[in-house]
Amino acid sequence: MDIKPHNPLIIQSDRSVLLETTSPLFEEVRDHLHLFAELIKSPEYVHTYRITPLSIWNAASAGVSLSEIIEGLKRYAKFPVPENVLVEIEQYYQIYGKLKLLPSEDSDKLLLKSVDELLMSEILHHRKIREMVHTQLSSLEVLIDKENRGWIKEALIKLGFPVEDRV
């Protein structure tokens, strides 16, 4: 096991991350974590962060690369990063951008576009999503009413499918 006792991060298999505040690397590591993790608690000696699907999607939408996230965790970790955490981060990251919300030719509608027919089929099986679809244009594209923009984004996030909003 590759232990780096001077590093300030302890990454747990539940995707919680502990950051020792007394480390000389504290500020550097804190700034790195802020790119893709949510601060949960910040008592005096150890700050607790959580890596969530939403925090990874937000990082992806802000242009933070997957390698930047993974390499930073590995570089600053006191103990090896649990393999399941690395796999989950990669899975969350790769989901982002598979659905896009775009302007449509009809100014009252928005275009929801998928890169994957199976994904579009899966989301259309959910009643809440189907109710917001105005017209299905193809196996990859549907129109929704503009006033449902926030609702559809929220519903899709709850299902685990974030939307890249290009509107």
Side-chain angles (χ1 to χ4, degrees), residues 3-9 20 23-25 76 78:
I3 297 175
K4 301 172 191 167
H6 300 294
N7 278 357
L9 270 188
E20 298 169 347
S23 168
L25 293 172
Y76 299 124
K78 187 179 295 274

Side-chain angles (χ1 to χ4, degrees), residues 35-37 54-65 69 93:
L35 296 174
F36 62 89
L54 186 57
S55 69
I56 295 297
W57 298 333
N58 285 338
S61 74
V64 179
S65 72
I69 295 168
Y93 195 94

Side-chain angles (χ1 to χ4, degrees), residues 106 109 129-136 142-145:
D106 182 338
K109 308 283 183 268
I129 304 298
R130 267 196 328 269
E131 289 173 356
M132 288 185 257
V133 171
H134 183 273
T135 308
Q136 184 163 357
V142 297
L143 288 177
I144 62 163
D145 292 323

Side-chain angles (χ1 to χ4, degrees), residues 4 6-11 17-39 45-51 68-78 81:
K4 301 172 191 167
H6 300 294
N7 278 357
L9 270 188
I10 299 171
I11 300 140
V17 179
L18 306 174
L19 172 58
E20 298 169 347
T21 62
T22 56
S23 168
L25 293 172
F26 169 73
E27 289 182 7
E28 180 180 335
V29 177
R30 179 200 59 205
D31 292 347
H32 179 69
L33 287 173
H34 279 249
L35 296 174
F36 62 89
E38 299 171 8
L39 178 63
Y45 297 107
V46 177
H47 290 185
T48 304
Y49 291 80
R50 176 148 333 264
I51 299 169
E68 185 177 357
I69 295 168
I70 299 290
E71 294 310 313
L73 288 174
K74 289 179 178 179
R75 179 179 39 230
Y76 299 124
K78 187 179 295 274
V81 180

Side-chain angles (χ1 to χ4, degrees), residues 89-111:
I89 289 171
E90 185 173 347
Q91 288 172 341
Y92 299 148
Y93 195 94
Q94 290 176 346
I95 290 171
Y96 184 78
K98 289 192 175 198
L99 291 173
K100 291 181 177 33
L101 197 56
L102 306 161
S104 78
E105 292 176 10
D106 182 338
S107 62
D108 292 334
K109 308 283 183 268
L110 298 174
L111 179 67

